Amino acid sequence: MDGGAGRAGDGAPGTTVSDLSARLWYERELLDLLTFKLEEEQLLLTAGRTRWVSHATREVEQVLERLQVAGLERAAAAATVAHEWGLSDDATLRDLAEGAGDTVWGEILAAHLAAMTDQTAVIRQLRDANAQFLRAAARSTQETLATTESPASTYDAQGRPAATDDAHLFDRSL
């Protein structure tokens, strides 16, 4: 033996499903981090601390990028487990949990699925609430800018600024 027993894909019983479970735990940790970052963003928005919103949004995007990579790694591990168990290589986590039957792995995979489904619902709610706050802030900013802008100047036939009825610092009729 080369000392590599127990690595994913070497045929050792439970090894690849153990790797899948570890990847699922990591993905759940990232979902928790995403929830925290979205709540942080929401707190900044509700407090009107717009100075830091761009930083919070960037952190959310960074966690989403990490989740995307983790999701791809999990999909690869799930395909390996599905193949070993005689399931379709594109089997979902639900399919794997059902395919494991009444074993410990079936319970573990079902628990991962339930936790990730619940966490995703929380994230969706936070995302939607934050989007509403951002739209309201953008609308408020646009309304404020609209009231502070001076009207556009026009020009007469000679290219000089046209006279307007705006308030002046002195009376031109004298």
Side-chain angles (χ1 to χ4, degrees):
M1 284 202 118
D2 66 354
R7 287 186 303 203
D10 70 357
T15 305
T16 53
V17 72
S18 176
D19 180 53
L20 173 60
S21 181
R23 290 179 189 283
L24 288 166
W25 274 115
Y26 176 67
E27 200 167 355
R28 286 173 63 179
E29 289 171 2
L30 287 175
L31 289 172
D32 283 340
L33 180 59
L34 179 59
T35 302
F36 169 73
K37 292 300 179 182
L38 287 169
E39 286 181 358
E40 182 179 59
E41 183 180 56
Q42 188 175 81
L43 289 171
L44 290 169
L45 289 166
T46 57
R49 305 300 299 243
T50 56
R51 173 182 177 194
W52 302 111
V53 171
S54 63
H55 293 288
T57 301
R58 185 172 40 252
E59 289 176 347
V60 166
E61 290 168 355
Q62 290 169 347
V63 175
L64 287 171
E65 288 171 4
R66 291 170 59 189
L67 264 167
Q68 186 177 20
V69 171
L72 291 173
E73 292 172 349
R74 178 206 7 102
T80 302
V81 171
H83 180 74
E84 284 183 3
W85 290 356
L87 302 171
S88 170
D89 286 348
D90 62 348
T92 64
L93 184 53
R94 182 177 314 281
D95 296 337
L96 291 173
E98 291 170 0
D102 291 333
T103 65
V104 172
W105 284 119
E107 292 176 26
I108 290 172
L109 295 176
H112 280 302
L113 176 62
M116 292 173 80
T117 301
D118 292 345
Q119 193 68 29
T120 302
V122 170
I123 289 168
R124 188 174 297 116
Q125 289 173 344
L126 284 168
R127 180 206 59 199
D128 293 346
N130 288 1
Q132 286 179 339
F133 282 123
L134 286 169
R135 280 192 298 274
R139 189 172 41 254
S140 175
T141 301
Q142 288 172 345
E143 290 170 0
T144 301
L145 288 175
T147 61
T148 60
E149 292 178 354
S150 61
S153 299
T154 58
Y155 297 91
D156 63 15
Q158 287 75 34
R160 294 184 301 249
T164 62
D165 292 334
D166 292 343
H168 300 282
L169 295 177
F170 57 91
D171 188 359
R172 290 183 185 210
S173 64
L174 295 177

